[in-house]
């Protein structure tokens, strides 16, 4: 089959690799019809390279049609249309029972001290072959895949694999009080969808911050009050602008939908450049031991939120000892919540919104539909945010 394969920093190719087969009785094989490209893939494309190996198949936002099932998979039949959640979970352990599927104790990658295995996401998360491919082996298919009806085109359901539950969790964790205000940092696919979810829940005051004109425009078009990060000289000016919109106090909640590659962190950006020049073993050690995340967005979130408010971190961070403003966090009595999305936990809540009236705008959410062969240029386009790329979907 054809698959998007990682070969090195900024070097992904479309290779012919062996077709996947059933290995465990709980496996299924899915023929992929659509597969998303995510901001998380961009971390692998460059910064998280030390944790990747040439040959790794990328992708964690797939959907398609069941081709084969293992002997213990009784919930799926050949021909079923399914969306595959990005985290791999068993559905019956202590963590899964609590709706913490991203912490599944059956698939946890204990060798690296990490949570549940993920499709296409580094050795830290199990080095499981991903879904930007023609076919995918789905472990724990007796629990994971979400059966969806025939009829609407793929994009109606595709984002259940990651974007929708991630945005949903970001909003739930932000704990916006009735009548409250929310700032969303980053208006990539995750931040954009988070704004939509917040509005859907009746939050009237949603302020979105980014620096890419078409991302700002898209959120504005849906009623988000947008601020262009680039138009401010200093963080304190952004804080002032937000306070002036939130009774001088700051918003009740801030969601960081940017993550470890935030603009505006010159020191950590230099560290990323330095680690890029090191041999992978050394770079991996440095990244796990030293503070090399770009924390501009997270620190801005802590500055922006009102005293006693909540910061919900949905952007991914990867370094071990990041410097954090403990004095501010303690003094402002900030509540912090974060983590990988527990995809399965939110699916039943989201499904009723995936209707023909399409309140979340999923049908027109993707800006680009491309073939798998176009993956190398798609990665580069999405990284440079050129050609209006906000969400890319591959159709193998
Ligand atoms: N927790 C999870 O389960 C989960 C799931 C999916 C994605 N993610 C993470 O969410 C983050 C966003 O993903 P995405 O697909 O939207 O990616 P993306 O890279 O397209 O979006 C990030 C956005 O942040 C903006 N940005 C950069 N620096 C900023 C700053 N200082 N202030 C404000 N905005 C800034 C960028 O212009 C971009 O639009 C990534 O870190 C991704 O890994 C987490
Ligand atoms: Zn994703
Ligand atoms: Zn489990």
């Amino acid at each position: 089959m054809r698959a998007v394969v990682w070969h090195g920093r900024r070097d992904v190719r479309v290779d012919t690799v062996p077709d996947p087969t059933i290995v465990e009785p709980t496996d299924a094989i899915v023929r992929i019809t659509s597969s998303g490209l995510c901001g998380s893939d961009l971390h692998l494309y460059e910064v998280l390279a030390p944790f990747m190996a040439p040959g790794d198949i990328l992708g964690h936002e797939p959907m398609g049609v069941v081709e084969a099932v293992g002997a213990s998979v009784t919930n799926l039949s050949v021909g079923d249309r399914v969306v595959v959640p990005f985290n791999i979970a068993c559905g019956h352990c202590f963590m899964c029972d609590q709706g913490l599927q991203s912490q599944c104790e059956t698939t946890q990658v204990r060798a690296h001290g990490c949570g549940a295995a993920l499709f296409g996401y580094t050795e830290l998360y199990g080095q499981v072959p991903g879904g930007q491919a023609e076919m995918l082996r789905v472990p724990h298919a007796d629990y994971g895949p979400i059966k969806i009806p025939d009829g609407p085109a793929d994009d109606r359901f595709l984002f259940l694999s990651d974007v929708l539950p991630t945005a949903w969790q970001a909003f739930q964790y932000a704990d916006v009080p009735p009548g409250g205000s929310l700032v969303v940092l980053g208006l990539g696919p995750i931040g954009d969808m988070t704004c939509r979810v917040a509005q859907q829940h009746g939050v009237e005051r949603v302020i979105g911050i980014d620096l890419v004109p078409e991302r700002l425009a898209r959120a504005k078009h849906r009623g988000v009050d947008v601020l262009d990060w680039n138009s401010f000289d200093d963080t304190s000016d952004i804080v002032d602008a937000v306070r002036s919109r939130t009774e001088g106090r700051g918003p009740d909640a801030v969601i960081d939908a940017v993550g470890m590659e935030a603009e505006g962190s010159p020191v950590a950006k230099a560290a990323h450049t330095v680690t890029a020049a090191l041999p992978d073993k050394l770079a991996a050690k440095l990244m796990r031991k030293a503070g090399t995340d770009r924390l501009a967005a997270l620190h801005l979130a802590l500055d922006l939120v009102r005293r006693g408010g909540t910061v919900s971190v949905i952007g991914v961070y990867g370094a071990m000892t990041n410097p954090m403003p403990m004095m501010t966090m303690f003094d402002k009595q900030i509540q912090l919540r974060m983590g990988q999305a527990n995809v399965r936990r939110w699916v039943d809540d989201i499904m009723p919104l995936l209707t023909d009236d399409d309140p979340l705008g999923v049908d027109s959410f993707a800006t680009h539909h491309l073939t798998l062969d176009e993956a190398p240029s798609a990665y580069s386009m999405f990284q440079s945010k050129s050609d209006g790329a906000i969400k890319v979907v591959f159709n193998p």
Side-chain angles (χ1 to χ4, degrees):
M1 67 163 183
R2 304 286 283 161
V4 180
V5 174
W6 191 94
H7 282 266
R9 265 186 197 83
R10 294 194 187 200
D11 181 5
V12 305
R13 302 177 203 168
V14 184
D15 293 344
T16 300
V17 300
D19 285 358
T21 52
I22 302 274
V23 180
E24 301 288 336
T26 46
D27 287 353
I29 304 294
V30 174
R31 182 167 48 76
I32 303 302
T33 54
S34 293
S35 201
L37 173 58
C38 179
S40 299
D41 294 319
L42 287 184
H43 303 323
L44 311 182
Y45 191 53
E46 188 149 13
V47 175
L48 293 183
F51 304 106
M52 298 293 289
D56 286 351
I57 300 176
L58 295 164
H60 59 266
E61 303 188 346
M63 68 176 284
V65 179
V66 176
E67 248 331 85
V69 292
S72 329
V73 179
T74 52
N75 52 314
L76 296 178
S77 313
V78 172
D80 281 350
R81 193 181 186 203
V82 291
V83 176
V84 182
F86 78 88
N87 26 55
I88 303 172
C90 76
H92 52 70
C93 70
F94 174 87
M95 292 295 169
C96 285
D97 281 348
Q98 303 190 55
L100 289 166
Q101 288 88 344
S102 69
Q103 313 299 326
C104 173
E105 290 183 337
T106 308
T107 72
Q108 266 180 27
V109 186
R110 292 186 172 77
H112 292 288
C114 288
L118 310 177
F119 286 101
Y121 219 78
T122 78
E123 57 171 304
L124 300 179
Y125 289 100
Q127 206 166 36
V128 183
Q132 288 165 6
E134 288 176 321
M135 312 259 269
L136 176 69
R137 172 186 164 231
V138 181
H140 297 283
D142 52 337
Y143 174 67
I146 305 152
K147 263 206 260 190
I148 50 151
D150 290 330
D154 277 7
D155 288 19
R156 177 74 58 85
F157 303 108
L158 174 65
F159 305 112
L160 281 170
S161 55
D162 182 340
V163 176
L164 285 165
T166 297
W168 200 270
Q169 177 169 306
F171 176 71
Q172 295 296 333
Y173 282 11
D175 207 14
V176 184
S181 51
L182 171 69
V183 168
V184 177
L185 295 177
L187 297 169
I190 300 299
D192 181 340
M193 187 57 80
T194 303
C195 293
R196 300 181 190 200
V197 167
Q199 290 169 325
Q200 184 64 31
H201 282 81
V203 181
E204 277 168 25
R205 175 119 284 222
V206 182
I207 301 168
I209 303 180
D210 201 298
L211 49 147
V212 181
E214 58 274 17
R215 297 182 180 209
L216 290 161
R218 187 155 112 142
K220 187 175 180 189
H221 185 70
R222 293 187 69 98
V224 177
D225 183 7
V226 296
L227 295 175
D228 181 354
W229 184 87
N230 263 333
S231 68
F232 298 91
D233 290 332
D234 201 77
T235 309
S236 62
D237 299 334
I238 305 180
V239 173
D240 288 347
V242 169
R243 289 213 178 131
S244 73
R245 288 162 161 80
T246 49
E247 284 136 26
R249 203 176 285 129
D252 298 299
V254 181
I255 292 172
D256 171 357
V258 178
M260 66 173 97
E261 295 187 60
E263 296 297 331
S265 309
V267 175
K269 187 161 188 174
H272 278 175
T273 313
V274 170
T275 45
L278 293 174
D280 279 348
K281 277 249 151 34
L282 224 71
K285 201 166 163 191
L286 188 70
M287 287 189 72
R288 299 222 72 196
K289 292 251 152 60
T292 54
D293 282 334
R294 284 151 57 177
L295 296 172
L298 181 53
H299 286 182
L300 176 58
L302 297 167
D303 281 345
L304 283 172
V305 72
R306 72 155 162 82
R307 291 179 176 274
T310 305
V311 171
S312 162
V313 183
I314 201 72
V316 169
Y317 289 91
M320 273 317 252
T321 54
N322 286 314
M324 292 291 283
M326 285 309 296
M327 199 278 200
T328 304
M329 293 163 71
F330 182 82
D331 181 63
K332 286 180 77 176
Q333 209 162 135
I334 289 168
Q335 330 205 27
L336 249 189
R337 295 195 72 184
M338 63 188 93
Q340 301 280 7
N342 304 297
V343 173
R344 262 302 198 164
R345 170 169 187 169
W346 310 111
V347 168
D348 292 346
D349 296 337
I350 299 168
M351 205 58 114
L353 295 173
L354 304 182
T355 53
D356 282 345
D357 354 326
D358 192 15
L360 295 172
V362 291
D363 287 349
S364 55
F365 191 68
T367 51
H368 290 68
H369 289 91
L370 302 172
T371 64
L372 219 46
D373 285 327
E374 293 171 283
S377 54
Y379 269 78
S380 139
M381 170 181 73
F382 185 45
Q383 188 189 42
S384 61
K385 302 177 175 62
S386 52
D387 202 22
I390 301 178
K391 187 69 186 179
V392 177
V393 171
F394 297 116
N395 299 116

